Amino acid sequence: MARPEDSAWAVSVAQVASRPGQSSPVDADFPAPSGIGDAIVGVTEGEPIHVAGAFDSIVDGLIFRAHITAPVHAECTRCLKPLQRDWDADVTAFFPYQYKGDNANEDADIIAGEEESEDSYPLSPDGCFADLEALLRDTFVETLPLQPLCKPDCKGLCPQCGINLNEHPDHQHDTTDIRFAALAGLKEQLERETGEHAAQEPKEK
Ligand SMILES: [Zn+2]
Ligand SMILES: [Zn+2]
């Protein structure tokens, strides 16, 4: 079985664990865990995620507060231009000495006296290491941009020929015929889909 300290995301907290009132700073890069977004919007596995913060020990566990920066890749949802930006997140998490699974969240709120809800993660069985893998993944899965744009007023692509309208602001088609052809195609498609749905209407329970 793998030792907790062999994880690329393990942080030694032995110095502060079980001694309330101690603080242990963290200022380091960690590899991005797998599973943050996808090829369109996400953080590529292994890319450096910078974590700057600290573990503060209290009676029942460790409070971890940090500012996290990750290189998020994305595609503009209008013009499909590739985007590469650093994405920031402030996190607060609780690493209780007695981990009780997800039910520990309520206790964490009371202990920390914070209004925001906190995520809670287990320490290693010997209490000497906190593993940041799940925390990093959860943080960025939650904060990924859903509709990234290259700029707020991106004009997108021409729906007919796909040309980038940001680069060709005066682009136009003389296209009455093409529009009618497109409408006719849409009508045909709608009729086909309506027919399919009618055939597979799920039964109400
Ligand atoms: Zn764009
Ligand atoms: Zn066009």
Side-chain angles (χ1 to χ4, degrees), residues 16-110:
V16 293
S18 304
R19 290 190 203 98
Q22 306 284 309
S23 183
S24 174
V26 179
D27 189 357
D29 283 341
F30 295 87
S34 61
I36 302 179
D38 52 28
I40 309 295
V41 182
V43 182
T44 308
E45 185 177 354
E47 288 283 296
I49 294 184
H50 191 77
V51 177
F55 285 93
D56 294 310
S57 58
I58 56 173
V59 174
D60 289 13
L62 302 172
I63 302 282
F64 178 63
R65 289 190 187 87
H67 186 73
I68 302 181
T69 312
V72 170
H73 66 255
E75 222 172 48
C76 173
T77 43
R78 285 187 202 153
C79 74
L80 310 181
K81 179 178 164 183
L83 310 171
Q84 183 79 50
R85 278 182 203 158
D86 281 344
W87 204 261
D88 294 304
D90 286 308
V91 299
T92 303
F94 185 52
F95 290 77
Y97 297 138
Q98 303 286 325
Y99 187 70
K100 291 172 277 182
D102 291 334
N103 294 332
N105 280 332
E106 277 178 39
D107 295 347
D109 282 345
I110 295 162

Side-chain angles (χ1 to χ4, degrees), residues 157-165 171-173 175:
L157 303 177
C158 169
Q160 283 163 31
C161 69
I163 202 170
N164 190 327
L165 297 176
H171 172 78
Q172 269 187 5
H173 291 266
T175 56

